[in-house]
Amino acid sequence: MISTHLPILQVLVPLLAAPVLALLRGRTLSYLVATGFVVVAFLIAIGLTIQVVHTGAVSYAIGNWAPPLGIEYRIDELTVIMLLMVTGIASAVLIGGGQSIAVEIPERRAPLFFALFCLNVAGLIGMTVTGDVFNLFVFLEISSLSTYALVAMGRDRRALTAAYQYLVIGTVGATFYVIGVGLLYMMTGTLNMADLTARVSGVESTLTIKTALAFLFIGLGVKLGMMPVHFWLPNAYAQAPSTVSAFLAGTATKVAVYVMLRIVFGIFGIGIFTSSYLADVVIALGIFAMVAASVSAIFQSDAKRLLAYSSLAQIGYILFALGLATEAGLTAAILHLFNHGLMKATLFLALTAVALRLGRTRLEDFDGLAQAMPATMLAFAVAALSLVGVPLTIGFVSKWYLLAAAFDRDGVLVAAVILGSSLLALLYLWPLVERAYFRKRPAGAPEIEEAPLALILAMWALVAVNVFLGVNSQFTVNLAANAARHLIGAVP
Amino acid sequence: MEFPGLYNYWIAMVLMMMGLYIVITDPNMVKKIVGLSIFQVSVFVFYISMAKVRGGTAPILDDRFTVYSNPLPHVLILTAIVVGIATTALALALLVRIQAAFGTVDEEAIKALERET
Amino acid sequence: MTLAPDQLLLWAFLTPIIVAVLVAVAGPWRNLRDAISVLGSLATFGFVAMLASEWEDKLVSRTIADFLPGLTLRFSLEPLGLLFAVIASTLWVLSTIYAIGYMRANEEHDQTRFFALFALAIAATLGIAFSGNLLTLFVFYETLTLVTFPLVTHAGTPEAMRAGRTYLGILLSTSILFFFLAMVWTYFEAGTLDFIKGGILNEETGPSVTLVLFLLYMFGIAKTALMPFHRWLPAAMVAPTPVSALLHAVAVVKAGVFAVVKVIVYVLGVERLAGVPGTAIVPVVAGFTIIAASLVALKQANLKRLLAYSTISQLSYVVLSATLLTPISIMGAVLHIAMHAVAKITLFFAAGAVYTAAHKSEIGELDGIGRRMPWTMGAFAVAALSMIGLPPTAGFVSKWVILKGAFDATAWCAVAVLVLSTVLNAAYFLPIVHRAFFRPLSAEAQAHPHGEAPFPSVLALTLTALLTLGLFFFPGEAMKIAEAVATGR
Amino acid sequence: MHDHAVLRVVSKLLMPFIFLFALYVQFHGDFGPGGGFQAGVIFGAGMILYALIFGLKAARKVAPLHYLRAQLSLGVLLYAGTGIVGLVQGSNYLDYSVLAHDPAHGQEYGIMLIEMGVLLTVSSAMTLIFYLFAGQDH
Amino acid sequence: MTLFDPAWIDVAILAFMAIVAFVVALLRSVFASVMLMGIFSLLSATLFVILDAVDVAFTEASVGAGISVVVFLGAMSLIPSPKAHGRTRPLLGALVCIACGALLILGTLDMPTYGDPQAPIHLHVADRYLSESLEATDVPNVVTSVLASYRGYDTLGETTVIFTAAIAVLILIGGSWRDGVKAPARADKETGDA
């Protein structure tokens, strides 16, 4: 019986964790409660995945109001990929990050911190499962507001300005999204995604509907860190507490991309997307990001910032694949969405360990770290190689599909650009690995020990998933391919 | 096109852009939040204008009326207003902290301070 | 023990991996650790030998993992792969023995890491040899690069790091930029990446695309050290000598030429390529590389660097021969992979033995050393003859076939290149032999008496030298395999 | 401001009406404009007025911070809990029809309950936010 | 169109709002801007009444013109008003805004006109709310029934947003955050990067 209510429980569990946590005192208790709730959410995500794989898409009418009157939750292959990722990474970050949070967040604020963390998770999940464009906005705001506060918890005072900057541009982006929803609603009279899909095709030729698409696109573009409206991202990732960076880097932008997929392909359909030149714009922006952000990453002196720029570049890949507007392209985009989240979460978790032991993450701090923290650095190295696209990791699988998609439509030149950009990834990540493995710790550097066991376990759990899905990619590839087929077929 | 045609919408759109202009160009970070509020309120105006039906009344059912304005945008905007005040409160709290940490809320001055460190 | 051939394949591949793990575990007990290395290499050799003896014409294959939908990680055995596997596993036994002597005598650091990675490198090499499709080959090709990187930078000095960066940079960037691109492109054109005799491209692929693919492959597989992507090879010479010996005479560089022959024969197809105008670019580049590398080798004062440039030149023999695109020339290419391997490893062993015993690495210091180290320098002399291509050594056999292939293809320029390079080879190898045996010891050397290198090292290099001679007298099996590859049984 | 006698007296007189009005807005929401959110804001405004006139200290005695914090959470829990009742009763989440025998009555109860939750959260949030801004020492 | 067309009132109020917004953009004084923002909200609330959105008007008046201004003033008592300062990137800002506005206005020329009862927006879901909600919920105020029941989940989200904001403000400036101010200042020098 409970299985029919899994969709709503998926959101409710982390959502209800927040008020409960706000009532609590003490770090340990609130940590355990938050972790418990998030892990339960992960288990629910697994249950939903099994359900969807067996019986196909699940719909849940909240309040028993048949859509489009009420708000509908809709869960299909694409959704469960995101759910697994968001809840999985959240669990990994909480389980592994306990000690880091203890160091970075003062005892008195710990319950509130965890409450915000759970709200963030709930917001992202809510954005993922909802089938209603306005409900999406509400959960977008829940996740955004909690993110702003979480980023501001960073130890450096620049965390405050980073949070502020993110707040301003994030709110502008969200408001653009609302404008787009308004126009969409104006032309169709509904807010339900499935209903919109059916009704948009009737007004496909109007300018207004294209304008709606443009505004939704810009609004979400801000949230997903699309160049050139990306500038909040490096600051936010670099200044946030390490665990928050790890969680955000793995999930937040990915969920925004997911929403964009849902809206662009699920609601508007390929026809409008390609005929309005938006597709070409997206491809251009994607290629621009993969080159420009990779080059910027090379010149960063702080590892967190470096990885943040790398994220921008990887989002470029996803945008590019999305812009191809083919089944192969969407498969690649969805795959990379998932894979990149996994890789980035691992990398940032490794940085969490470094920050925990050294208090900072500048490049030169990595000298000789492999001797002091072998497990951490090995996880980092594997994830880094994965990001470059070395075989037997998920990064290779992504890259393969990206290239195949590029070949399918744009041919060799673009494929070469993608490969070139992955070489740049090698160029900016290799120095870290080399420093860690082939340099000596500077003389007089403090003795440090390996990261706490929980953190290592969290990292290696992600690495294990990475390698497993890298060698045997059937599961994710099939899910992604199915999801892509559904998205493409949503509007004939 | 019969008056008022799309005037309401147009003015609302101009208002939005004025708000946005303040957000982008004002160096005072408190003022930016004021701009953000104006931007958002203008969007509310846009939505509520959409809801209006000529000759309609407020959507409170009563036997005396038959034509009502669209209640749904009202509901949406109620939610949006709440989101707006929540954002404003959070932004101001951040600014209080920024003032304490940097001694100013001027964007340029803070950038200069950040470069120093 | 009766193992099915596909199980043998798997075990031959898995044994080095197991060895690597055991070596890592047994690290603190170095006798145990080194014993594991030797026994493991023997076991691997045993599996490969069983494969070779049991192998008939039918294809043996085994899928390891469903890598990507429609694309699997798959092993399958065909003559060329078998030949490569035999070479690699045989020489692994010898170089392990040699390395034990070398590493102990030179008191190298991090020996455990060294032996573990050494074993992994062999696993990757066998993976390449057994690969049943291009994707599998690519996967192990990349793995080999990554696994050997720490071996190259073993010394850990800034100089070694710089060299390591060159090594990794060139190999990874070419393979990602060109090889990978070509592979995806091929998949896009052909819908498969399986190795099939005669190639997998269909009629729809035009000659220009075929040519571009061909070039992408030839330059993308930079392990062949074709100019201008050759710089990683001399750079890698900062590695300890056993590494240079095994990896840069056998595993890494041979993986390159092996992949090139594989691609030509099983992906692009010899006949299809022969019909494509413009493919002659590659033999021209290869010919240029042969001559240029030989000229550079002439100028080298450092013995290992000389050997490195000699390797570059010899690898291009294989590429040149393979890209002449006649059955005989393909056969020559295959043969040369084997023949060059045994001779070159002997040379490296000898260089390392000299370094271990006399601490000398410059050619100018070798006066009269042949009298103190007769076994070592004797082996060196045999291998040098093989490099030049003189009987009674293995080099003569392959060079002869290559020459025949060039005649067959009426590629007179290639013939000229071969002749000229033979002269050049003689010009840089013979003076060393002469110096070692016929010049008196320098005064400084007389003050520091030394004998032969440690026994394991001498044993290894003597065996490889004997192998070099043996392959001249009994080239039958190798010939048979090469013929099978070339004629397409 | 708390030394102005007139202000003190007037606002003290006004206070009950403000809260009464808030309650009116709360429960009249079904028939006219108003509801939990508006009522919550008015409630919060009442508290803010009280704090402005009688000082933050006095206000904090009436409604201490930790109490507000608890109320903040309870509001959300009440709202979400009402939804869970629907779930437990075998219907979907937030289906109030199952709260009473007559579905329409159930809806009415449900709406009342969740509006109560909104009131709790909004009023405490408004007051709390004001406290925090006003309570900073310069 | 006559001079007494009620639509004039909308336009008049909107024009007032435009003037206020313009003045806010020009003003240097933050305090005055905040006050004008309150007036802007109040004007919009008036407009909402005219546009039949009484609930929204009520809320906007109490929140936008009330609580919001109070919170601003509370914050500004802690943040001294800075001296006058030129704009940052005025040209770029103007360009972005004009482009955006032009896109918005030109892109919506084929929208249904204001107040058109036949616009799709009024025909689909909204119509069903108006006709079905009384029977289903016994609540005559359709805004309330949609808010609390049909889209009650949105309202749960909205309550959570307020909750989030309160928690966020609490974690940012609640309790003894000033104790922590010195520590980051030290961390500054350690982790500084450009």
Side-chain angles (χ1 to χ4, degrees):
Chain A
M1 192 224 90
I2 197 146
S3 66
T4 56
H5 294 297
L6 283 184
I8 190 73
L9 289 175
Q10 177 75 86
V11 182
L12 270 188
V13 166
L15 188 76
L16 284 181
V20 171
L21 283 163
L23 291 172
L24 296 179
R25 290 269 181 280
R27 192 201 317 277
T28 317
L29 180 62
S30 49
Y31 170 69
L32 290 176
V33 170
T35 312
F37 273 95
V38 169
V39 169
V40 170
F42 180 50
L43 296 178
I44 293 175
I46 292 175
L48 273 173
T49 309
I50 296 169
Q51 216 171 320
V52 168
V53 167
H54 281 285
T55 61
V58 177
S59 166
Y60 187 89
I62 296 168
N64 228 354
W65 295 110
L69 277 192
I71 291 167
E72 181 196 12
Y73 268 9
R74 236 192 125 63
I75 294 165
D76 57 17
E77 281 103 342
L78 184 51
T79 321
V80 292
I81 294 180
M82 299 308 295
L83 289 179
L84 283 177
M85 191 172 117
V86 171
T87 54
I89 292 177
S91 309
V93 165
L94 272 187
I95 291 172
Q99 207 161 330
S100 168
I101 294 169
V103 170
E104 296 191 6
I105 308 296
E107 165 100 34
R108 291 185 49 152
R109 293 200 208 141
L112 296 178
F113 173 86
F114 288 118
L116 285 171
F117 192 93
C118 288
L119 284 169
N120 201 347
V121 176
L124 292 175
I125 296 175
M127 286 167 76
T128 311
V129 289
T130 192
D132 186 285
V133 281
F134 196 82
N135 187 248
L136 198 152
F137 164 72
V138 174
F139 279 87
L140 173 87
E141 282 297 341
I142 293 178
S143 88
S144 298
L145 287 178
S146 49
T147 308
Y148 307 146
L150 287 173
V151 169
M153 299 308 293
R155 283 193 291 184
D156 194 293
R157 62 176 177 174
R158 276 167 302 172
L160 297 168
T161 40
Y164 175 85
Q165 190 187 27
Y166 186 13
L167 181 141
V168 170
I169 179 136
T171 307
V172 169
T175 311
F176 268 61
Y177 176 84
V178 173
I179 296 172
V181 168
L183 293 174
L184 201 54
Y185 177 53
M186 184 78 190
M187 301 309 286
T188 58
T190 182
L191 295 168
N192 181 281
M193 287 186 187
D195 201 22
L196 277 169
T197 310
R199 296 176 76 88
V200 159
S201 50
V203 286
E204 202 168 297
S205 54
T206 58
L207 264 179
T208 309
I209 218 74
K210 285 174 184 160
T211 313
L213 177 58
F215 272 80
L216 293 171
F217 178 75
I218 299 171
L220 290 169
V222 168
K223 286 283 169 188
L224 61 81
M226 175 176 74
M227 277 185 146
V229 281
H230 65 281
F231 35 84
W232 58 270
L233 192 145
N235 290 335
Y237 282 15
Q239 301 299 344
S242 308
T243 42
V244 174
S245 303
F247 179 66
L248 287 184
T251 58
T253 49
K254 314 296 172 297
V255 171
V257 176
Y258 160 86
V259 171
M260 193 181 260
L261 277 172
R262 272 268 125 120
I263 286 181
V264 168
F265 294 99
I267 293 179
F268 287 89
I270 293 184
I272 301 180
F273 183 52
T274 46
S275 71
S276 61
Y277 304 106
L278 190 57
D280 303 310
V281 172
V282 174
I283 292 181
L285 287 177
I287 293 177
F288 170 68
M290 45 176 129
V291 177
S294 299
V295 171
S296 309
I298 295 172
F299 297 104
Q300 298 306 316
S301 59
D302 183 89
K304 270 179 152 186
R305 274 188 95 79
L306 186 152
L307 289 185
Y309 276 100
S310 145
S311 279
L312 293 176
Q314 303 292 325
I315 287 163
Y317 287 120
I318 299 173
L319 282 176
F320 163 75
L322 193 153
L324 292 175
T326 58
E327 199 179 310
L330 282 185
T331 308
I334 295 166
L335 255 184
H336 198 52
L337 202 61
F338 180 82
N339 293 351
H340 176 240
L342 207 59
M343 299 185 259
K344 264 299 147 58
T346 317
L347 289 171
F348 269 102
L349 273 182
L351 288 194
T352 303
V354 174
L356 177 65
R357 290 298 181 233
L358 288 176
R360 47 183 209 178
T361 53
R362 294 179 62 81
L363 294 198
E364 57 262 32
D365 297 326
F366 277 71
D367 287 1
L369 266 194
Q371 273 120 50
M373 312 172 78
T376 306
M377 280 302 124
L378 191 58
F380 185 89
V382 173
L385 289 174
S386 178
L387 200 64
V388 176
V390 165
L392 302 182
T393 62
I394 48 173
F396 179 76
V397 179
S398 291
K399 208 137 280 178
W400 177 272
Y401 277 89
L402 273 171
L403 280 181
F407 262 106
D408 219 25
R409 218 195 107 187
D410 273 353
V412 194
L413 265 182
V414 177
V417 172
I418 293 177
L419 289 173
S421 149
S422 74
L423 272 188
L424 291 175
L426 184 68
L427 220 55
Y428 61 70
L429 283 170
W430 189 254
L432 285 170
V433 176
E434 197 187 286
R435 275 172 187 276
Y437 277 92
F438 300 105
R439 294 217 186 167
K440 298 269 173 292
R441 292 270 293 145
E447 280 290 303
I448 53 168
E449 46 185 69
E450 179 58 277
L453 185 65
L455 189 49
I456 290 175
L457 285 179
M459 262 185 273
W460 277 95
L462 294 181
V463 168
V465 174
N466 185 328
V467 173
F468 176 76
L469 292 177
V471 175
N472 199 334
S473 60
Q474 304 283 338
F475 176 70
T476 40
V477 169
N478 285 340
L479 272 182
N482 276 342
R485 215 167 300 129
H486 282 164
L487 277 181
I488 288 273
V491 174
Chain B
M1 200 189 295
E2 196 194 344
F3 183 82
L6 297 168
Y7 287 106
N8 261 25
Y9 302 136
W10 290 347
I11 301 178
M13 288 163 186
V14 170
L15 288 177
M16 289 178 205
M17 292 309 135
M18 286 170 117
L20 189 59
Y21 180 74
I22 300 174
V23 176
I24 298 176
T25 61
D26 208 294
N28 185 298
M29 291 160 104
V30 181
K31 189 79 176 289
K32 270 184 198 290
I33 304 301
V34 173
L36 214 51
S37 291
I38 289 179
F39 184 28
Q40 288 178 322
V41 171
S42 313
V43 175
F44 304 162
V45 171
F46 176 67
Y47 261 74
I48 300 299
S49 301
M50 290 191 325
K52 174 72 181 170
V53 175
R54 203 179 302 120
T57 67
I60 298 171
L61 299 177
D62 196 315
D63 295 337
R64 285 173 297 170
F65 306 111
T66 49
V67 183
Y68 302 98
S69 284
N70 189 338
L72 189 49
H74 300 179
V75 174
L76 304 183
I77 290 314
L78 280 174
T79 307
I81 291 175
V82 176
V83 171
I85 176 74
T87 313
T88 305
L90 179 49
L92 291 171
L94 266 174
L95 284 173
V96 169
R97 289 286 302 274
I98 290 174
Q99 170 73 32
F102 290 88
T104 174
V105 289
D106 187 277
E107 208 179 28
E108 300 295 317
I110 286 177
K111 267 189 197 151
L113 281 173
E114 283 186 342
R115 265 193 294 269
E116 271 172 32
T117 45
Chain C
M1 194 161 47
T2 50
L3 283 169
D6 65 323
Q7 281 170 312
L8 280 174
L9 260 185
L10 207 59
W11 278 110
F13 169 72
L14 286 178
T15 312
I17 295 179
I18 298 169
V19 168
V21 174
L22 289 179
V23 161
V25 173
W29 305 279
R30 56 183 226 169
N31 287 333
L32 175 65
R33 180 194 68 200
D34 294 351
I36 291 171
S37 284
V38 174
L39 289 176
S41 66
L42 282 170
T44 311
F45 174 70
F47 287 127
V48 175
M50 268 191 265
L51 260 181
S53 64
E54 277 183 28
W55 188 73
E56 293 151 25
D57 289 345
K58 65 174 188 293
L59 205 67
V60 178
S61 74
R62 172 146 193 147
T63 302
I64 311 167
D66 290 332
F67 190 34
L68 307 166
L71 283 168
T72 53
L73 274 188
R74 202 160 60 84
F75 282 168
S76 72
L77 197 64
E78 44 74 58
L80 184 57
L82 181 64
L83 178 71
F84 187 33
V86 169
I87 300 168
S89 61
T90 314
L91 296 182
W92 185 32
V93 179
L94 298 173
S95 54
T96 304
I97 296 170
Y98 177 85
I100 292 168
Y102 180 92
M103 297 304 273
R104 289 191 177 191
N106 286 306
E107 288 167 1
E108 286 278 352
H109 58 95
D110 290 329
Q111 291 192 19
T112 306
R113 183 179 89 184
F114 176 88
F115 281 108
L117 288 168
F118 210 67
L120 283 181
I122 286 299
T125 309
L126 290 175
I128 293 173
F130 294 153
S131 54
N133 56 29
L134 194 55
L135 186 67
T136 314
L137 191 144
F138 179 78
V139 166
F140 288 110
Y141 179 94
E142 294 288 57
T143 314
L144 185 59
T145 308
L146 291 172
V147 170
T148 49
F149 172 78
L151 290 173
V152 169
T153 56
H154 188 82
T157 57
E159 188 208 350
M161 291 313 303
R162 250 199 319 282
R165 245 171 276 164
T166 312
Y167 179 79
L168 198 70
I170 292 180
L171 288 185
L172 272 189
S173 55
T174 49
S175 68
I176 290 177
L177 263 186
F178 304 142
F179 190 3
F180 190 28
L181 183 65
M183 183 170 66
V184 179
W185 198 345
T186 308
Y187 184 64
F188 183 68
E189 294 281 337
T192 177
L193 287 176
D194 289 347
F195 290 129
I196 294 170
K197 194 87 200 180
I200 54 176
L201 292 179
N202 49 32
E203 295 312 311
E204 283 162 32
T205 311
S208 53
V209 172
T210 312
L211 177 63
V212 174
L213 280 177
F214 178 62
L215 294 178
L216 282 175
Y217 279 122
M218 291 306 118
F219 289 100
I221 304 173
K223 288 189 174 141
T224 57
L226 211 55
M227 283 179 179
F229 300 117
H230 66 286
R231 288 195 37 82
W232 62 270
L233 205 154
M237 288 306 143
V238 296
T241 306
V243 175
S244 311
L246 181 67
L247 303 181
H248 303 113
V250 186
V252 175
V253 292
K254 291 295 146 38
V257 284
F258 171 78
V260 161
V261 175
K262 271 269 199 194
V263 165
I264 290 175
V265 177
Y266 296 102
V267 175
L268 297 175
V270 179
E271 276 164 34
R272 162 184 287 270
L273 277 177
V276 173
T279 48
I281 300 170
V282 177
V284 168
V285 173
F288 173 79
T289 307
I290 294 173
I291 301 299
S294 300
L295 287 173
V296 177
L298 263 179
K299 300 216 162 212
Q300 295 304 313
N302 181 293
L303 185 54
K304 272 179 80 180
R305 288 188 72 82
L306 180 141
L307 294 180
Y309 280 101
S310 154
T311 306
I312 295 175
S313 147
Q314 297 282 336
L315 289 173
S316 281
Y317 277 50
V318 181
V319 177
L320 172 73
S321 186
T323 52
L324 288 177
L325 301 172
T326 68
I328 304 275
S329 71
I330 300 275
M331 196 175 144
V334 174
L335 273 178
H336 201 62
I337 292 178
M339 304 312 184
H340 172 249
V342 285
K344 189 44 73 63
I345 202 168
T346 312
L347 289 173
F348 273 113
F349 281 172
V354 169
Y355 177 75
T356 312
H359 303 289
K360 281 174 181 150
S361 57
E362 302 303 305
I363 296 168
E365 303 168 332
L366 298 182
D367 289 3
I369 202 158
R371 268 165 273 166
R372 282 183 171 174
M373 306 176 69
W375 288 98
T376 303
M377 291 320 287
F380 188 93
V382 169
L385 289 183
S386 180
M387 285 294 130
I388 301 164
L390 295 176
T393 58
F396 172 76
V397 179
S398 56
K399 216 159 194 177
W400 183 251
V401 180
I402 291 176
L403 209 56
K404 221 169 118 194
F407 274 111
D408 237 34
T410 60
W412 306 119
C413 288
V415 174
V417 164
L418 287 171
V419 172
L420 179 57
S421 84
T422 305
V423 174
L424 286 170
N425 285 350
Y428 60 78
F429 272 121
L430 291 181
I432 301 173
V433 178
H434 174 261
R435 193 186 277 273
F437 285 105
F438 301 110
R439 287 231 196 148
L441 277 168
S442 66
E444 190 254 339
Q446 270 168 346
H448 299 280
H450 62 83
E452 274 285 4
F455 174 71
S457 302
V458 176
L459 176 70
L461 64 87
T462 311
L463 286 174
T464 53
L466 285 176
L467 217 54
T468 312
L469 292 171
L471 279 172
F472 173 79
F473 294 106
F474 308 102
E477 286 301 314
M479 284 285 217
K480 229 165 73 189
I481 290 178
E483 219 178 324
V485 176
T487 56
R489 258 197 304 163
Chain D
M1 256 187 268
H2 34 87
D3 40 357
H4 289 286
V6 180
L7 274 179
R8 290 169 68 98
V9 173
V10 171
S11 49
K12 211 158 207 170
L13 283 173
L14 216 52
M15 212 56 69
F17 292 102
I18 291 177
F19 291 123
L20 200 66
F21 180 59
L23 288 177
Y24 168 77
V25 170
Q26 168 80 16
F27 293 108
H28 194 64
D30 289 4
F31 311 102
F37 185 75
Q38 292 90 333
V41 170
I42 294 170
F43 234 110
M47 278 312 296
I48 292 171
L49 183 66
Y50 189 86
L52 282 174
I53 305 294
F54 299 99
L56 206 57
K57 246 187 186 162
R60 280 190 154 186
K61 257 184 213 147
V62 179
L65 208 62
H66 59 88
Y67 168 74
L68 288 176
R69 210 169 130 175
Q71 188 186 329
L72 192 70
S73 296
L74 286 178
V76 178
L77 288 173
L78 176 61
Y79 197 140
T82 309
I84 290 179
V85 174
L87 209 107
V88 173
Q89 299 274 338
S91 183
N92 277 4
Y93 186 69
L94 280 180
D95 185 357
Y96 317 129
S97 306
V98 292
L99 295 179
H101 290 298
D102 178 26
H105 274 144
Q107 289 288 341
E108 246 182 318
Y109 292 145
I111 290 174
M112 202 185 77
L113 279 172
I114 62 120
E115 295 271 21
M116 205 56 215
V118 175
L119 172 80
L120 290 178
T121 297
V122 171
S123 59
S124 54
M126 294 301 162
T127 318
L128 193 73
I129 289 171
F130 177 77
Y131 275 10
L132 291 173
F133 278 106
Q136 304 292 326
D137 31 28
H138 299 233
Chain E
M1 166 183 120
T2 67
L3 202 56
F4 300 103
D5 193 311
W8 277 112
I9 306 176
D10 311 5
V11 176
I13 295 176
L14 279 167
F16 265 123
M17 290 172 73
I19 293 168
V20 172
F22 189 69
V23 174
V24 171
L26 285 184
L27 272 180
R28 285 273 142 262
S29 158
V30 181
F31 180 81
S33 312
V34 170
M35 285 306 162
L36 282 177
M37 184 201 78
I39 291 174
F40 188 84
S41 283
L42 211 57
L43 282 170
S44 72
T46 323
L47 188 65
F48 294 158
V49 175
I50 297 170
L51 296 178
D52 303 334
V54 275
D55 281 273
V56 181
F58 193 170
T59 314
E60 180 60 35
S62 55
V63 172
I67 296 286
S68 176
V69 172
V70 170
V71 174
F72 259 106
L73 293 181
M76 278 165 52
S77 68
L78 304 166
I79 302 169
S81 244
K83 3 179 217 324
H85 196 299
R87 295 192 170 281
T88 49
R89 309 176 294 268
L91 268 178
L92 178 76
L95 217 65
V96 168
C97 291
I98 290 171
C100 250
L103 171 69
L104 201 47
I105 290 177
L106 296 176
T108 53
L109 284 178
D110 53 10
M111 219 165 47
T113 51
Y114 169 71
D116 180 2
Q118 293 308 311
I121 183 172
H122 305 306
L123 296 179
H124 185 42
V125 178
D127 202 41
R128 288 182 60 191
Y129 287 143
L130 288 169
S131 57
E132 295 170 14
S133 72
L134 190 61
E135 202 181 328
T137 62
D138 255 0
V139 173
N141 185 349
V142 187
V143 173
T144 301
S145 63
V146 174
L147 183 89
S149 189
Y150 289 98
R151 297 187 69 87
Y153 192 62
D154 263 358
T155 311
L156 174 60
E158 169 196 324
T159 312
T160 313
V161 167
I162 274 290
F163 173 81
T164 311
I167 296 287
V169 174
L170 201 58
I171 204 171
L172 281 172
I173 58 172
S176 51
W177 62 273
R178 272 167 206 280
D179 305 345
V181 168
K182 286 204 179 69
R186 253 184 286 118
D188 243 357
K189 284 177 197 87
E190 281 168 17
T191 55
D193 70 325

